[in-house]
Amino acid sequence: MSTTQTPPVLAAELAQAWADIQRYHPELPDLAAPESLIGESSSACGHELSFERLLHEAVHGIAAARGVRDTSRAGRYHNRRFLAIAEELGLDHPDEPHPSSGFSLVSLTPEAKRRYRPTIERLQRALKAHSAATAGDTARSFRGPAARHGSSGGGVRVKAVCDCGRNVRVVPSVLAQAPIVCGGCGKPFRIREGVAAAAG
C-alpha cells in the first residue's frame, strides 16, 4: 500500500465516522478537514487518534455550535460545560478533574461502545493500515524537534490560506499528504510560496 494513498483513505474514514456521530447529534457541524487530525497530537485532547479522540473533538464541535466556552488556559483546561456535552455524546470522566487539563481525559461509556461498534471497528482498521503504510517512513524522515520531544503538532505550523481569505495553521507535511478544503468556499488551503520555502 502506498503511503501517498493512505492519508486520503484514512481521511475518508474519519469523515465517515464523523458523519456517524452526526446521525445521533445533528447539531454537530461538518468536519471541514479530517486530514488535519492525522498526525496531530495534543496532550489536552489525547495523543492517539482513535474514535474516542474523534468523539472528544465532536464535543468541541457541538460546544462551538452552541456558543459554549468549553475550555480555558489556551484550550488546555476542559471545564464542566465540556463535561456536560461529553456526557451527552457518550463519554465519561472520573469525578475529579485533572489539575491541568480538567475533564479532558474522557472515555467511551459501554452504551457508546455498543452504539458505535461498527464505526469503531472500521476506523481501527483504517488506522492500522495507515500505521503499517507509514511505519517505514519514520526511520528516514526528519520530523523536527516537536515530534522528537512529544509536543503537540509534530512540526512547525505555517499559515495556509484559501481563496476566500480564511486561514489555518498547519504542518506543511500534513498539507502535502492531501488537500485541506475550506468549508466556506470549497477551495483548498495553500501555503504561500515564500512561506513554504522557509518552512522546508
Side-chain angles (χ1 to χ4, degrees):
M1 186 181 299
S2 165
T3 55
T4 56
Q5 292 174 342
T6 306
V9 170
L10 179 53
E13 289 295 346
L14 286 166
Q16 182 58 54
W18 193 265
D20 291 348
I21 299 167
Q22 284 178 311
R23 200 172 312 127
Y24 293 99
H25 304 281
E27 69 182 307
L28 177 63
D30 290 339
L31 182 60
E35 298 89 350
S36 66
L37 294 171
I38 301 170
E40 290 291 308
S41 65
S42 164
S43 58
C45 296
H47 291 286
E48 191 175 311
L49 185 54
S50 63
F51 182 76
E52 197 168 78
R53 163 92 189 279
L54 195 65
L55 204 57
H56 177 123
E57 297 297 340
V59 174
H60 291 304
I62 288 179
R66 293 178 182 175
V68 171
R69 187 165 180 218
D70 62 342
T71 63
S72 58
R73 299 181 198 165
R76 288 187 305 276
Y77 192 87
H78 293 57
N79 59 35
R80 289 191 184 277
R81 291 183 290 275
F82 170 86
L83 182 58
I85 298 171
E87 288 171 348
E88 289 178 39
L89 269 68
L91 292 167
D92 198 8
H93 188 279
D95 291 338
E96 293 302 313
H98 185 275
S100 62
S101 63
F103 294 99
S104 69
L105 304 174
V106 288
S107 58
L108 287 166
T109 62
E111 182 185 341
K113 285 180 184 174
R114 281 192 298 275
R115 173 186 291 172
Y116 293 111
R117 177 171 283 122
T119 304
I120 293 167
E121 290 172 355
R122 202 176 59 239
L123 186 57
Q124 282 176 337
R125 283 193 299 271
L127 286 164
K128 278 185 186 175
H130 177 72
S131 294
T134 57
D137 293 348
T138 56
R140 300 175 130 176
S141 59
F142 177 72
R143 294 187 46 93
R148 287 198 316 272
H149 300 296
S151 61
S152 65
V156 177
R157 296 173 191 237
V158 297
K159 184 163 74 170
V161 296
C162 68
D163 287 352
C164 69
R166 296 176 73 205
N167 66 73
V168 294
R169 305 225 27 111
V170 63
V171 178
S173 62
V174 171
L175 192 60
Q177 292 173 356
I180 297 176
V181 179
C182 173
C185 68
K187 303 286 185 180
F189 286 96
R190 293 183 310 277
I191 300 170
R192 291 197 176 101
E193 287 182 27
V195 176

